[in-house]
Amino acid sequence: MSTRSLPTIRSAWIAILAPIVAIAFAFGSVEYLRAGWPAISTDPAFFQHTGWYVLQGGVPYVDVWDVNPPVPFAITAVLAALSGGNMLVLHGLAVALTTLVAAASVLLVGWVAYLVTGEDAAAVAAGLTMLVVSQLFLLPQQGVRAQFYALFFGAFALALALRDRPFLAGALAALSAGSWQSGAVFALLVVGMAYQRTGKRGALSAVAGGGVVTGVVVLAFAAAGALVPMVVQTVLAPLIAGSPHSLTEHVYSILLVFGYGSLLLPVAFYGWAHAAVRNPRERWWVLAGGLLFGFQVLYIDMDGSTDALQWLAFVALGVAIAVERAAARWSATDRSDEPSRTDHRSDGAARTDRRRWVIAAVVVVIGLFVLSGVAWTYGSPPPQSTLQTMEEEAKPDEPLPITPADADVPSMQTIYWEKRQPETCHYRVSWNEVRWVAMTDDRLDRQRCDTWPERIDRG
């Protein structure tokens, strides 16, 4: 079905998927409260503290070393301003916003699936597939993480591209890339989709939308004297000192993230293949996105569950296309049986019944995978503890001359709650950071991180 003929978001899928999403995220919130509010993990504490630090005059990439792009710092700076400097209020606002963003992302992926297929069952299947990875609705309650915002902006960009809004789609794709580096894939896809749908003019409009956002960021950091360190830390450092894990370890991490939901991966791959073979002109970007994000999780960065969220969105779209294909086959079989029927129901009523049965089957089958994801998270301690270690440490196999303990700084939780302004720029002290310091012969006690490295040892 052509995506051009779909005028609105209003459809049965949203009425089915939205309550399921609400229940899943409510469960995540209850689990978080039960675990002990206001507990905060290291990454959210870092992002939220940096947002507060910006209001105190701190400059990201100069007073704070980090590999993440700047959009999450801008978001937390706004939240810090709204909190009035109260770190508990800031954490509450961050939790609420990130939970809403993650929940909206599920619905946005469902909308994209509906725009592509025109099938309610496919949209529901896409949304439920997102929930198979239970960390999507269990982790947002801990606070701001860059990948949730990259997913939200990226999925929204795809939907707007399919609704022929290339300028806004390009702007949102740029925000996705500005939240997490892999979001740049959405920018490439949006430009290609705009060109495919409306020609050169649409592609230029998408580029212009992304250019406006990128230009604002570049000018802001150039004015603050932080443009060079931003490029060094967000582009150069991840390429050189990124995840040390091997391909085998990345595959293992993916299987740990998906758990029993890994059984849906062949279904998604079938959907990608069908899109590429049967409708490549309009659906090429589904396979392209799946392969590009697949390359990211297999070869570039797969240290934990949130690193797989963008790829998960394209897995969900692949499942949606497979469901669309299955529904079409079922309808064709039913139509072939119609002459032998003795009832006199109209074709419209029969078609409605078929759609209801397909949706019910999708909810039951994929819903079981969603429940199995929760069981996997809480009922499989050995693999989950392995994943947690890989996510939190990303520790290299070869020993480094320095370790995070050598930084001699308080924990991020202490820095956050006590509103400290550290004397050094290396106070998050992730393993990526330590590897970079070791490769550049830098110092963990450097006060400012605003220079180009004089030496880079690629090992």
Side-chain angles (χ1 to χ4, degrees), residues 106-448:
V106 178
L107 298 179
L108 285 170
V109 171
W111 186 22
V112 171
Y114 183 73
L115 289 171
V116 170
T117 66
E119 291 286 343
D120 291 310
V124 173
L128 289 178
T129 300
M130 295 293 292
L131 298 177
V132 165
V133 177
S134 56
Q135 285 81 7
L136 179 60
F137 56 86
L138 294 175
L139 291 183
Q141 292 80 3
Q142 296 181 7
V144 170
R145 292 176 188 264
Q147 294 91 336
F148 289 114
Y149 291 86
L151 172 63
F152 170 78
F153 291 127
F156 206 170
L158 293 178
L160 290 177
L162 291 170
R163 297 282 288 123
D164 294 328
R165 302 291 188 270
F167 183 86
L168 291 177
L172 285 169
L175 287 174
S176 178
S179 299
W180 199 47
Q181 287 90 337
S182 294
V185 172
F186 288 112
L188 295 175
L189 296 179
V190 161
V191 172
M193 293 164 70
Y195 181 81
Q196 165 228 318
R197 297 175 65 81
T198 57
K200 184 177 180 180
R201 182 177 179 180
L204 291 175
S205 182
V207 171
V212 169
V213 172
T214 304
V216 169
V217 172
V218 168
L219 288 175
F221 279 89
L227 184 58
V228 169
M230 181 181 72
V231 173
V232 170
Q233 293 169 37
T234 63
V235 179
L236 192 61
L239 291 175
I240 295 175
S243 173
H245 300 311
S246 66
L247 173 62
T248 302
E249 289 173 317
H250 281 194
V251 172
Y252 182 49
S253 294
I254 292 170
L255 296 178
L256 289 179
V257 167
F258 278 82
Y260 304 116
S262 299
L263 294 174
L264 288 176
L265 293 179
V267 179
F269 299 157
Y270 168 80
W272 293 353
H274 187 272
V277 173
R278 299 297 294 273
N279 197 356
R281 177 172 174 77
E282 291 191 353
R283 297 183 179 181
W284 61 270
W285 56 272
V286 177
L287 176 62
L291 293 178
L292 288 171
F293 281 118
F295 180 79
Q296 173 241 311
V297 297
L298 286 175
Y299 293 100
I300 300 177
D301 190 7
M302 185 56 204
D303 294 331
S305 56
T306 55
D307 292 344
L309 293 182
Q310 283 70 33
W311 190 58
L312 173 63
F314 284 86
V315 169
L317 293 176
V319 171
I321 293 173
V323 168
E324 175 202 26
R325 181 62 178 164
R329 287 181 176 177
W330 189 6
S331 296
T333 302
D334 285 351
R335 283 195 296 271
S336 66
D337 293 339
E338 281 179 3
S340 63
R341 290 178 180 173
T342 57
D343 61 2
H344 302 287
R345 292 180 302 170
S346 67
D347 289 344
R351 191 178 302 111
T352 299
D353 285 347
R354 285 195 296 269
R355 291 176 64 190
R356 288 173 179 172
W357 278 108
V358 171
I359 293 174
V362 165
V363 171
V364 170
V365 173
I366 304 183
L368 291 175
F369 282 108
V370 174
L371 294 177
S372 75
V374 177
W376 174 263
T377 299
Y378 290 103
S380 55
Q384 284 299 314
S385 62
T386 301
L387 178 62
Q388 184 177 6
T389 300
M390 295 175 70
E391 179 176 2
E392 292 181 352
E393 295 185 355
K395 188 174 180 179
D397 294 330
E398 297 94 14
L400 293 173
I402 54 177
T403 68
D406 294 330
D408 192 25
V409 294
S411 69
M412 269 312 309
Q413 287 76 7
T414 298
I415 292 173
Y416 178 80
W417 291 117
E418 296 183 3
K419 299 199 292 188
R420 296 192 182 185
Q421 299 185 33
E423 297 179 357
T424 68
C425 56
H426 292 291
Y427 63 86
R428 165 65 176 87
V429 205
S430 65
W431 276 104
N432 279 351
E433 192 168 350
V434 170
R435 286 194 298 273
W436 173 258
V437 171
M439 290 177 177
T440 59
D441 201 19
D442 203 350
R443 306 190 321 271
L444 284 172
D445 62 351
R446 181 180 292 277
Q447 185 175 1
R448 292 169 65 86

